[in-house]
Amino acid sequence: MNIVLIGSGGREHALAWKIAQSPLVGTLYCATGNGGIADCSTCVDLDVTDHPAVIRFCRDHDVNLVVVGPEAPLVAGIADDLEAAGIKVFGPGKLAAQLEGSKGFTKDICAKYNIPTAAYGRFSDVASAKTYVREQGAPIVVKADGLAAGKGVIIAETIKEAHDAIDMMFDGAFGDAGVEVVIEEFMEGEEASFFALADGHTTLPLATAQDHKAVGEGDTGPNTGGMGAYSPAPVMTDALVKRVMAEIIQPTAQAMVDIGCPYKGVFFAGLMITKDGPKLIEYNCRFGDPECQVLMMRMESDIVPLLMAVATGSLGDHSISWSDDAALTVVMAANGYPGSYEKGSTIRGLDTASQHQNVQVFHAGTKQHSDTIAAIGGRVLNVTALGENVTDAQERAYSAIDNIDWPDGFFRRDIGWRAVAREKNSKD
């Protein structure tokens, strides 16, 4: 079959790498791809915001399935338009994608269906938002309601910090995403990411992961789109996985059916594991980035039948096999990220890094110029390794990074520190 993958980041490179391994695939196209995706797919210059153009391309190239990587096209309704044209698609429709597109929408679903989450309020003006903060006290969490590239969440330690965050969002720091804000109770515990597939009526658990949002080592500094991740998440026991499916994923899937927009795609649940059990922080309507990279490294099953089963409503006929090994990915970012950064610097040593055993270098913000790779984004590379445990995977990833020559980039040296500490303590 012929497949179109939409996206150009590290998540899409990992998906392309995994999809291309399937014997079921004829031609894999990627719109628009990056400097690494070109090694495992045919990159095409296609404007994915022009839905009729995407539909024409699919018809002209006998495309059997479209896999949508990022959230923005889903929130814009590309899945609805493809399905209306008779083209199978992996990814939720516009209404269902509001689980990520509107944090307030998701919180209201949680309230109605008794899905465990933080107490909250929704606000469309500064005064009432600040009044709520004064009533609740700090620490407290201030979120832009809409899509903000993973950066629209402020954990305020003081009331002043919360008020400053409210002002920033309503002043347009995140554009339309901050027209409304959601203010939440600060939850204490350990964060984890949980993934499950859904075809509109059946849910199937995938795997767990933990990521590192903060830009600096020790999880310090401003939030980013993610500086690294590992899988599985040690905090997510089998018992917790069952609770998450029963208390969070399945009620959400039923809620979406009840409101007339069955969810078809991947549920990415950001969780807080509290003393009272798992609680939902927020949903994403696509694979995480960089969590997808570690999931694809660990997945032993052919992903293409799973993607097609979601698109056709036949997920109940499938199961998934995972490696018992751990995977860890380290993000290499341009100096200055998540603030302003320069574009166009040359990256060397990628071939040597990729030769390390059980290591894959997934590209994100790169572009190929003749025989060289240039950095054109904030998060640029995902150096991903598989090992018998997180400690082993971490050592392999950093050993590969040491071969990469890129003075204009930086990375954290402590990705996986929680899991590594657990593994060390279990040996002592």
Side-chain angles (χ1 to χ4, degrees):
M1 68 176 70
N2 296 332
I3 296 175
V4 167
L5 172 63
I6 290 176
S8 59
R11 166 184 49 227
E12 286 74 39
H13 190 182
L15 286 169
W17 172 79
K18 185 65 178 176
I19 291 169
Q21 296 172 24
S22 174
L24 301 174
V25 176
T27 301
L28 172 61
Y29 301 98
C30 188
T32 55
N34 60 41
I37 293 176
D39 291 336
C40 54
S41 76
T42 300
C43 292
V44 292
D45 187 13
L46 185 60
D47 180 3
V48 299
T49 66
D50 185 347
H51 297 183
V54 176
I55 291 167
R56 285 195 300 273
F57 180 90
C58 292
R59 288 174 172 163
D60 290 345
H61 295 82
D62 297 321
V63 169
N64 307 95
L65 176 68
V66 176
V67 179
V68 185
E71 63 275 18
L74 294 168
V75 173
I78 193 168
D80 305 271
D81 290 342
L82 287 166
E83 285 196 339
I87 299 165
K88 295 180 179 63
V89 58
F90 176 89
K94 182 176 184 176
L95 290 178
Q98 286 302 296
L99 282 176
E100 178 168 3
S102 170
K103 295 178 179 65
F105 172 88
T106 300
K107 299 296 285 192
D108 289 349
I109 290 285
C110 290
K112 183 175 181 179
Y113 286 82
N114 297 313
I115 296 168
T117 189
Y120 74 103
R122 297 178 67 174
F123 304 94
S124 55
D125 68 277
V126 171
S128 57
K130 288 184 175 180
T131 298
Y132 183 81
V133 166
R134 284 192 294 268
E135 292 171 348
Q136 300 302 315
I140 199 163
V141 183
V142 183
K143 297 182 175 181
D145 179 71
L147 300 179
K151 302 169 191 173
V153 177
I154 305 295
I155 300 173
E157 299 292 341
T158 66
I159 290 175
K160 182 182 184 305
E161 287 180 9
H163 284 183
D164 289 345
I166 290 166
D167 287 335
M168 173 189 68
M169 292 181 188
F170 280 118
D171 284 345
F174 299 113
D176 291 343
V179 170
E180 182 174 301
V181 301
V182 174
I183 302 177
E184 294 183 353
E185 161 199 14
F186 175 79
M187 294 190 291
E188 293 187 2
E190 184 172 345
E191 289 191 39
S193 300
F194 182 81
F195 298 84
L197 296 178
D199 67 357
H201 51 85
T202 299
T203 57
L204 180 66
L206 285 171
T208 64
Q210 282 182 311
D211 75 335
H212 297 264
K213 286 291 187 188
V215 71
E217 295 186 10
D219 293 329
T220 58
N223 271 356
T224 70
M227 294 300 294
Y230 54 95
S231 174
V235 70
M236 290 295 293
T237 63
D238 290 343
L240 278 175
V241 167
K242 290 178 181 177
R243 284 191 64 179
V244 171
M245 287 298 295
E247 299 173 17
I248 297 176
I249 300 296
Q250 290 167 351
T252 305
Q254 184 59 53
M256 304 310 284
V257 171
D258 291 348
I259 64 176
C261 50
Y263 191 94
K264 297 170 66 176
V266 60
F267 281 116
F268 168 10
L271 305 172
M272 184 68 76
I273 311 305
T274 73
K275 59 181 178 60
D276 300 319
K279 293 187 177 183
L280 180 70
I281 300 172
E282 63 186 20
Y283 272 123
N284 295 304
C285 62
R286 36 69 188 180
F287 284 104
D289 189 347
E291 293 92 342
C292 184
Q293 289 82 315
V294 290
L295 263 60
M296 294 303 103
M297 287 288 281
R298 292 189 58 230
M299 184 183 288
E300 293 180 336
S301 301
D302 186 338
I303 194 174
V304 171
L306 296 168
L307 300 174
M308 184 60 80
V310 167
T312 59
S314 57
L315 194 58
D317 300 330
H318 293 267
S319 60
I320 307 174
S321 176
W322 298 92
S323 169
D324 291 331
D325 287 347
L328 180 142
T329 188
V330 179
V331 170
M332 300 186 73
N335 290 336
Y337 176 82
S340 59
Y341 51 84
E342 297 292 329
K343 297 182 180 181
S345 58
T346 299
I347 306 169
R348 299 178 177 86
L350 293 175
D351 290 343
T352 304
S354 298
Q355 289 170 7
H356 284 243
Q357 187 176 13
N358 291 330
V359 169
Q360 293 291 330
V361 180
F362 295 120
H363 292 227
T366 70
K367 186 174 183 178
Q368 187 162 3
H369 295 297
S370 297
D371 295 330
T372 64
I373 294 292
I376 61 168
R379 293 187 298 163
V380 175
L381 299 170
N382 313 133
V383 182
T384 311
L386 199 64
E388 62 181 30
N389 52 36
V390 176
T391 302
D392 183 33
Q394 183 194 62
E395 291 173 353
R396 290 175 184 269
Y398 284 118
S399 178
I401 284 176
D402 288 340
N403 293 117
I404 296 175
D405 178 14
W406 184 33
D408 296 281
F410 75 99
F411 58 94
R412 285 179 53 170
R413 275 279 181 187
D414 64 343
I415 300 301
W417 65 267
R418 286 188 184 88
V420 169
R422 275 193 173 96
E423 290 171 358
K424 182 178 184 299
N425 291 336
S426 70
K427 292 179 180 178
D428 292 343

